[in-house]
Amino acid sequence: QKEVEQDPGPLSVPEGAIVSLNCTYSNSAFQYFMWYRQYSRKGPELLMYTYSSGNKEDGRFTAQVDKSSKYISLFIRDSQPSDSATYLCVINGDYGQNFVFGPGTRLSVLP
Amino acid sequence: EAGVVQSPRYKIIEKKQPVAFWCNPISGHNTLYWYRQNLGQGPELLIRYENEEAVDDSQLPKDRFSAERLKGVDSTLKIQPAELGDSAVYLCASSKAGNQPQHFGDGTRLSIL
């Protein structure tokens, strides 16, 4: 079993839709959870960072962490064509441990 | 705040040739990472530095890859000799500390002919 798993997509939605991106992980020791957005031919860009179960909201983006189920989600409200990118979930254990990246989900928001 | 700067952005070489990538991290960031990203996959760690010390190079193919971080700031990643399977995007990232979110450069896209 891979440490971090994501549905690779591609996921296509119409503009204005609510998008749900999901990620599962296997190691219950993971404590820090991040979502990165990566546009084509660019480096990953940090979107959300959290270290506790529950929800964290930032504008149109909401990150949700369920440590009991080892499941994290990213919700995008009122999706825009500019949200079209690959979304990577990234998980870390503790200081000194390496970050583990999911393979990413490719999202297309159609105008 | 200036971001992570990488150069070159693109590099095309023939197999068996040497190649080097350069990274300038964000000022004040002590931790520096080199990743390799293949198409359709997430980044995979090659080496992690804390200041000038390589604290994790377990995934670095040491027969052909080498890296250095002079004075705990800039870093260079080298491949010699390059093989066809080395074609990928090489990403550099930095963070204030080892468990803090990383900030990435735009990478060097390497093509081996």
Side-chain angles (χ1 to χ4, degrees):
Chain A
Q1 182 184 12
K2 293 183 179 179
E3 286 190 288
V4 179
E5 299 200 53
Q6 285 183 264
D7 185 336
L11 176 63
S12 294
V13 301
E15 183 176 356
I18 296 175
V19 177
S20 172
L21 303 169
N22 306 303
C23 187
T24 59
Y25 62 96
S26 58
N27 189 343
S28 58
F30 287 137
Q31 299 182 41
Y32 302 94
F33 308 92
M34 289 146 276
W35 284 95
Y36 281 77
R37 176 176 63 196
Q38 187 173 23
Y39 291 116
S40 180
R41 298 185 180 274
K42 303 287 280 184
E45 168 194 14
L46 180 67
L47 273 180
M48 302 287 283
Y49 170 56
T50 184
Y51 53 86
S52 59
S53 283
N55 294 349
K56 181 177 181 179
E57 189 173 318
D58 184 0
R60 296 185 296 112
F61 298 90
T62 299
Q64 188 175 83
V65 176
D66 182 347
K67 288 187 178 180
S68 62
S69 300
K70 297 199 274 292
Y71 192 88
I72 67 173
S73 300
L74 179 70
F75 298 96
I76 307 174
R77 290 185 299 280
D78 187 26
S79 56
Q80 303 295 309
S82 59
D83 295 327
S84 298
T86 296
Y87 290 79
L88 300 159
C89 71
V90 185
I91 301 176
N92 183 239
D94 203 348
Y95 189 92
Q97 296 183 10
N98 291 319
F99 291 72
V100 181
F101 286 75
T105 298
R106 189 153 57 92
L107 171 68
S108 293
V109 181
L110 307 175
Chain B
E1 167 179 86
V4 176
V5 179
Q6 290 188 248
S7 68
R9 286 297 316 277
Y10 303 92
K11 190 73 177 179
I12 301 173
I13 61 171
E14 293 185 345
K15 63 181 180 182
K16 299 185 182 180
Q17 294 300 306
V19 64
F21 315 124
W22 175 80
C23 173
N24 178 240
I26 293 173
S27 178
H29 281 198
N30 296 324
T31 308
L32 183 144
Y33 308 78
W34 282 103
Y35 289 91
R36 177 168 57 191
Q37 186 175 27
N38 291 307
L39 190 64
Q41 298 181 23
E44 295 177 331
L45 181 71
L46 291 173
I47 189 168
R48 174 166 62 95
Y49 283 93
E50 295 287 347
N51 298 303
E52 64 272 14
E53 181 183 359
V55 295
D56 187 348
D57 62 357
S58 59
Q59 301 303 311
L60 189 73
K62 298 182 186 63
D63 57 336
R64 297 184 300 107
F65 286 65
S66 64
E68 60 182 3
R69 188 180 185 195
L70 299 175
K71 299 181 181 178
V73 182
D74 293 0
S75 179
T76 302
L77 178 68
K78 298 179 181 178
I79 308 175
Q80 181 171 11
E83 296 180 352
L84 291 175
D86 296 331
S87 294
V89 176
Y90 291 83
L91 292 163
C92 178
S94 69
S95 64
K96 291 182 179 179
N99 64 343
Q100 295 296 304
Q102 301 165 44
H103 299 263
F104 284 83
D106 285 334
T108 297
R109 185 175 297 270
L110 175 65
S111 296
I112 311 295
L113 303 179

